[in-house]
Amino acid sequence: MTIKINEELRAYIDPLTEDEYTALERSLLAEGCRDALVLWGDLLVDGHNRYSICQKHGIPFNTIQNTTFKSMDDVHLWMIDNHLGRRSVSDFQRGVLALRKKEILATRLAELESQAEKAVEPSEADQSAAQPAGAEAPARPTAPPISREALARAARVSSATLGQIEKIQKTAAPELVSAVKSGVISINAAAAVASLPSEKQVAAVAGGKKELQQLAREVRESKRPPKPEPVPPPADATPDQLEIHRLNQLVAELTEERDQLKKKVQHLTIALAEARRQET
């Protein structure tokens, strides 16, 4: 049968790296194509890389039809869920896919609510006859908004990480996005750098990993609230009052230092978890 390739569909999921493509090619040459390619009619939905390698080397393959698709949105949602279930997908890719799913579901929800309103909306004459003068029209029930927490759980990332990925998508320069995808900079650090003008982002990426990390630290430092000016002790304070004042200041300084260390530990924990996920 003829298999059609939709270039938009092929590019919907991030392409394999050169090393990943080479590894897949070696596997297909050694073991054959064990997993069937997924089709919707004659349109290839899943298995673009396997299909091209099989065509190149004359490797036999099987196909399977997915009869549940009713629209291209159904195809996109299936592709998203399929890739979210794979261990090799990075946290950043998972977040991007989850946000795409959110957009599709939000659009569908808005369309369904619009259709429901049109279906039950009475004519002006009927409405005036059925409703007493001065009475307010009953509020139409609306579906609950899509939960970021639910999307984050599906993507196996934290809600905070998903928010950072959304910020990167909206404000990061393409060079910074590429740096996140390649693991040069963590999601957390990239979200901080993404708040800067595009030219500064590009310059930092050109400067390499250390410059990106340093810039991220500077951005975080700049967003911290200024320390309050210490209140001097009363002019007529007794020695005991002076000592209490000194100890209170010391406690405040140590508390601030502890809070900063907690934030650093949190950033390092997130970065370490991302690195470990990418290794597996």
Side-chain angles (χ1 to χ4, degrees), residues 49-235:
N49 293 302
R50 283 176 284 140
Y51 178 67
S52 65
I53 293 171
C54 289
Q55 290 289 93
K56 175 182 176 182
H57 297 286
I59 301 172
F61 58 86
N62 295 317
T63 63
I64 186 172
Q65 285 285 339
N66 190 318
T67 58
T68 64
F69 299 143
K70 299 294 187 295
S71 67
M72 190 59 75
D73 277 349
D74 289 340
V75 174
H76 287 156
L77 289 172
W78 183 90
M79 292 176 72
I80 290 170
D81 289 339
N82 188 42
H83 279 76
L84 286 178
R86 295 180 177 176
R87 292 178 56 192
S88 59
V89 181
S90 71
D91 282 356
F92 183 77
Q93 289 173 313
R94 290 180 185 281
V96 170
L97 291 173
L99 292 171
R100 288 180 181 174
K101 183 173 184 176
K102 174 186 176 183
E103 185 177 349
I104 293 172
L105 294 179
T107 301
R108 281 191 169 183
L109 182 59
E111 291 174 352
L112 289 173
E113 289 180 346
S114 176
Q115 292 171 5
E117 287 180 359
K118 291 178 180 179
V120 301
E121 186 174 351
S123 66
E124 292 184 6
D126 293 340
Q127 191 173 15
S128 59
Q131 184 173 312
E136 293 185 1
R140 291 189 178 92
T142 57
I146 299 168
S147 165
R148 171 176 286 179
E149 288 72 19
L151 283 171
R153 284 195 299 271
R156 288 184 281 171
V157 299
S158 69
S159 179
T161 297
L162 187 61
Q164 290 169 344
I165 294 170
E166 189 169 20
K167 178 180 180 181
I168 292 169
Q169 280 199 297
K170 289 179 178 178
T171 62
E175 292 82 354
L176 182 59
V177 174
S178 296
V180 181
K181 288 181 178 180
S182 61
V184 173
I185 185 173
S186 69
I187 294 171
N188 186 282
V193 176
S195 63
L196 298 173
S198 180
E199 59 271 17
K200 287 191 176 182
Q201 298 180 36
V202 175
V205 172
K209 184 174 184 178
K210 288 185 177 180
E211 186 167 335
L212 279 168
Q213 291 174 338
Q214 177 61 31
L215 186 58
R217 282 193 292 269
E218 292 174 0
V219 171
R220 295 190 194 108
E221 289 287 343
S222 68
K223 292 183 178 180
R224 289 174 184 163
K227 294 182 180 179
E229 291 292 331
V231 179

Side-chain angles (χ1 to χ4, degrees), residues 10-79:
R10 186 210 292 264
Y12 193 69
I13 305 294
D14 282 347
L16 298 178
T17 64
E18 186 176 344
D19 289 343
E20 289 170 339
Y21 189 90
T22 301
L24 177 61
E25 188 170 27
R26 283 199 302 264
S27 173
L28 291 174
L29 286 170
E31 303 175 13
C33 187
R34 296 179 297 179
D35 298 325
L37 310 183
V38 179
L39 301 177
W40 179 32
D42 57 1
L43 180 65
L44 181 59
V45 172
D46 183 61
H48 291 86
N49 293 302
R50 283 176 284 140
Y51 178 67
S52 65
I53 293 171
C54 289
Q55 290 289 93
K56 175 182 176 182
H57 297 286
I59 301 172
F61 58 86
N62 295 317
T63 63
I64 186 172
Q65 285 285 339
N66 190 318
T67 58
T68 64
F69 299 143
K70 299 294 187 295
S71 67
M72 190 59 75
D73 277 349
D74 289 340
V75 174
H76 287 156
L77 289 172
W78 183 90
M79 292 176 72

Side-chain angles (χ1 to χ4, degrees), residues 222-272:
S222 68
K223 292 183 178 180
R224 289 174 184 163
K227 294 182 180 179
E229 291 292 331
V231 179
D236 58 348
T238 64
D240 287 343
Q241 289 174 327
L242 288 173
E243 180 63 11
I244 292 173
H245 182 269
R246 185 187 70 82
L247 291 174
N248 284 336
Q249 282 190 320
L250 181 60
V251 169
E253 291 172 1
L254 291 174
T255 301
E256 172 68 16
E257 184 177 352
R258 180 204 63 189
D259 292 343
Q260 296 303 326
L261 287 172
K262 279 185 176 180
K263 289 180 180 179
K264 288 182 179 179
V265 170
Q266 184 181 16
H267 295 327
L268 289 172
T269 302
I270 293 173
L272 181 60

